[in-house]
Amino acid sequence: MSANLPAYLESLNPEQLQAVLHTGGPLLILAGAGTGKTRVITTKIAYLVKEIGMSPESILAVTFTNKAAREMRERAMQIEPACERATIRTFHSFGAWFLRRNAAAVGIDSNFVIYDDDDSAQLVRTILPQASKQECEHYATLISRAKDYNIEPDSPSLDRLSQESNLRRIYTMYEERLRATGNVDFGDLIRLPARLLESDQVIARRTHQRFRVILVDEYQDSNVAQFILLQRLASPETYVCVVGDDDQSIYRFRGAEVRNILSFANSFPGTTVIRLERNYRSSQTILDIAGNVVSHNKNRLGKTLHATKPGGIKPELALLDDQDQEVEFCSHIVKNHVRAGGRLSDIAILYRTNAQSLAFEKEFPRKKINYKIVGALRFYEREEVKDVLAYLSFLLNPRDEIAFRRIVNKPTRGLGESSVDMLLEDAQQRGTTILEACLACQTSLKGKAKAGMEEFLAVIKEASELLKPAGEKTDKGEKSLSVVLETIIEKSKLAEYHKNKDEIAGTQKLSNMEELVNAASLYPAVQEGLAEFLETIDLDRSLQAVEDEDATDAVTLITMHNTKGLEFPIVIITGLEQGLFPRDDESGDELEEQRRLFYVALTRAKDRIYMTACHWRRIHGRLFETQPSRFLTEIDPSLYRLWGEMPQTEYRSLRPGSEAAQARGASPPTAQGRNTAQVLGIREWKVGMKVYHDEYGQGVVIKTTDNENSGPLVIVQFETGKVGQFFPKYTKKLEKIQD
């Protein structure tokens, strides 16, 4: 290396240095797992400012989580403090920032509220008032996916996304109602800026002049709409650099499109590709098996990782009888590690679905093994938290129909749905805000409804009076936004309402509301402070259940998807059976993504890898004979140590009852000839039955009804307080817990 290099560049390896120093045409940095990609992109930002003389304001860097954006900014500032002035945000945060500055051009109010998935489903329900909650969520998901792919309601491409005959009509009405509220959803934060940059040349030219450099982290996780936004943000003179790893693209179910990174060089002619292949995390034995797994994918750019740390222990694969033995095997590894002086927090147990954690949750307490689960219900998704946030959203935007519907009759104030519908219709016809319509209707309401409306308006009035108008300055000693939240919680009687729930269900609803109050204390009691607080929440819904600051020594139980970006000295990957990982219905691109997921799981390990597959597995209380995952049969046997005997049967279809399984002598005692999906569709549901949902956690069936076409409707009360309705025929997320 040159002796003239600045000190902060001297520690980079040759490939990292090449990536940092590159300027000119487009750049694709293929950064394998553990190769120091964050270091490269943050150093590059600092280098462009410190050495090249770029204005920090001319640099736009985007990533996918607030945590990553904060880390990127902090690390760049350690090298060059002026990097604080660079625009470093998540994709959605940038979209919100862009829309608030160009709201008028899009036809929305700058004080818009960002609707989450639940809000979107509620908006769909205003279109389909007779539809079940599940149907509304289904259509909301389809609309969200359409926006991820930049598909408009009138686009012919919508038919390729879904064959739902009503989708086009519902999507069109959804957009009309969303625009009427003055709010946006997450898809709009990408779609609307992209649309504006195409239609308004003045704004496009101003944006191109502002941002001369665009850097994108984790580019393999981008969706089609984000790709289009990137294209329109970049002029021919813009320096574009993306960093990513096609082998770690695992979020297709969220709309991520691996072809964005695979075709980057075609989309941006003249692209230079630099591969980072020196791994600083794992031993070579781990990298070898991970590379062997992903090498079976056809759609990849290709790279070979090399370990910088010496030595390495060969990964181990244990073929076990059943789940009980799997738990015993994992317990044995944990206890041996602790006896040797290690910590419980060194170990992570990975699985495909959250439901697989239940066996460990039952047995680990008996074995006195502390554990923590990553993937519990997120703080901002909890009922009581969303109630308070709805009040805040309505304070900020008195046209917010979804927020209004959630709070106007909660706790119950005698205001029925028909009264609310008439009020909203009146507001729409008159062209007024919902709040103005509420004030105007007081004389027409009678009895409980009149008293209830007066009570609701009194809460809004008192909270509003605590907020200073927009643009008014505040002194440091003045009250924070937490005072507004405390007033809302007390005066609305939400505190009393959720306290009663705490006493019945043993939940922590009051504590959660108190935690929200604490979070608001960092913001001033002005409209701008309220908008900033809500935006921060809206854009930070991927909170990690386990934070770095958590000092608890415990084994981590976590899905493979949730391990992205994490690392552990010891990783145990469980449930590697055909039909479970991968599922039998996964093929083509889906199968390649699951292979990448396996690769991600393997590369989380620093020192040791253990893998397990069971001969028999209980699924919803029934016992199935299984075969090892086809992914295991693809691995070179010399790369791992085998405990047990690998079946000789070649992979065809290894579901219970299949020809291949029968050739091995399989005879599942409870489900001959049926695969897992079929069993899911015919299982019985009873009141009082314990269940588990991938997103909502544990709950109890409180009601069941029969539907001639859709099968049984199951209503579940979850431990979080949430009540959900499900058609087991159509969902794979709801599972029975076998006591």
Side-chain angles (χ1 to χ4, degrees), residues 371-505:
Y371 68 90
K372 52 192 174 187
I373 301 176
V374 175
L377 189 67
R378 297 167 182 166
F379 178 78
Y380 294 119
E381 304 300 327
R382 294 170 183 170
E383 176 194 8
E384 64 281 7
V385 174
K386 293 201 70 159
D387 290 344
V388 180
L389 293 177
Y391 271 99
L392 297 180
S393 296
F394 191 69
L395 279 178
L396 186 65
N397 180 4
R399 293 190 295 161
D400 190 337
E401 179 182 343
I402 300 303
F404 176 73
R405 285 183 178 275
R406 185 180 187 98
I407 60 178
V408 69
N409 202 38
K410 189 173 188 181
T412 303
R413 299 189 177 96
L415 292 160
E417 285 193 20
S418 59
S419 298
V420 172
D421 289 341
M422 289 176 61
L423 189 150
L424 291 171
E425 186 177 345
D426 183 66
Q428 189 173 7
Q429 290 177 351
R430 293 173 180 270
T432 65
T433 67
I434 298 171
L435 179 59
E436 289 169 335
C438 289
L439 291 166
C441 79
Q442 285 181 282
T443 55
S444 60
L445 294 175
K446 297 180 181 179
K448 288 184 178 180
K450 181 178 177 65
M453 181 57 74
E454 289 174 351
E455 182 181 311
F456 171 73
L457 289 173
V459 176
I460 299 300
K461 183 175 184 291
E462 190 163 348
S464 299
E465 289 173 349
L466 294 171
L467 277 175
K468 287 192 174 184
E472 189 167 329
K473 294 183 178 180
T474 58
D475 299 323
K476 287 186 177 180
E478 290 189 320
K479 294 177 179 179
S480 70
L481 193 61
S482 60
V483 177
V484 180
L485 274 74
E486 288 174 337
T487 300
I488 289 171
I489 293 168
E490 180 186 353
K491 300 298 182 180
S492 67
K493 299 181 181 177
L494 283 175
E496 182 181 345
Y497 174 78
H498 288 299
K499 181 182 178 182
N500 293 334
K501 283 199 169 187
D502 278 357
E503 292 173 355
I504 296 170

Side-chain angles (χ1 to χ4, degrees), residues 187-427:
D188 288 336
L189 297 179
I190 307 299
R191 188 175 66 115
L192 293 182
R195 183 195 296 175
L196 190 57
L197 287 167
E198 182 184 38
S199 63
D200 194 316
Q201 294 306 305
V202 174
I203 291 176
R205 187 162 52 252
R206 186 170 67 234
T207 304
H208 294 157
Q209 291 171 348
R210 165 75 185 272
F211 299 117
R212 300 290 189 178
V213 174
I214 301 176
L215 303 103
V216 184
D217 192 19
E218 301 286 6
Y219 187 64
Q220 78 280 346
D221 294 335
S222 62
N223 60 36
V224 172
Q226 288 162 341
F227 167 72
I228 293 171
L229 176 60
L230 173 63
Q231 281 192 311
R232 294 175 183 174
L233 282 170
S235 72
E237 290 75 37
T238 307
Y239 177 64
V240 178
C241 169
V242 301
V243 186
D245 183 4
D246 54 316
D247 290 334
Q248 295 189 71
S249 180
I250 60 173
Y251 295 127
R252 189 169 181 262
F253 65 96
R254 297 180 186 170
E257 181 53 74
V258 68
R259 284 175 175 76
N260 287 353
I261 191 168
L262 295 178
S263 62
F264 180 82
N266 294 329
S267 303
F268 291 85
T271 292
T272 300
V273 180
I274 298 175
R275 288 173 168 80
L276 305 184
E277 298 178 313
R278 303 190 194 201
N279 179 281
Y280 295 91
R281 175 188 299 152
S282 308
S283 65
Q284 192 63 50
T285 53
I286 293 171
L287 298 180
D288 287 344
I289 194 170
N292 190 245
V293 165
V294 79
S295 68
H296 289 83
N297 278 353
K298 296 178 181 179
N299 298 310
R300 61 190 296 261
L301 297 171
K303 61 186 165 307
T304 303
L305 298 185
H306 307 284
T308 57
K309 59 194 299 184
I313 302 170
K314 188 176 288 189
E316 299 183 28
L317 169 61
L319 302 182
L320 307 167
D321 287 342
D322 53 28
Q323 291 156 280
D324 294 337
Q325 201 174 82
E326 185 176 59
V327 174
E328 283 296 328
F329 178 81
C330 294
S331 302
H332 181 73
I333 292 170
V334 171
K335 291 189 172 182
N336 278 353
H337 180 68
V338 173
R339 277 196 289 267
R343 291 173 55 84
L344 293 173
S345 56
D346 293 337
I347 302 174
I349 298 176
L350 279 56
Y351 35 77
R352 169 74 180 269
T353 67
N354 277 312
Q356 292 169 254
S357 72
L358 292 176
F360 299 101
E361 291 183 67
K362 286 182 179 181
E363 290 300 317
F364 274 13
R366 299 175 190 174
K367 299 178 181 297
K368 296 182 169 44
I369 297 174
N370 291 333
Y371 68 90
K372 52 192 174 187
I373 301 176
V374 175
L377 189 67
R378 297 167 182 166
F379 178 78
Y380 294 119
E381 304 300 327
R382 294 170 183 170
E383 176 194 8
E384 64 281 7
V385 174
K386 293 201 70 159
D387 290 344
V388 180
L389 293 177
Y391 271 99
L392 297 180
S393 296
F394 191 69
L395 279 178
L396 186 65
N397 180 4
R399 293 190 295 161
D400 190 337
E401 179 182 343
I402 300 303
F404 176 73
R405 285 183 178 275
R406 185 180 187 98
I407 60 178
V408 69
N409 202 38
K410 189 173 188 181
T412 303
R413 299 189 177 96
L415 292 160
E417 285 193 20
S418 59
S419 298
V420 172
D421 289 341
M422 289 176 61
L423 189 150
L424 291 171
E425 186 177 345
D426 183 66

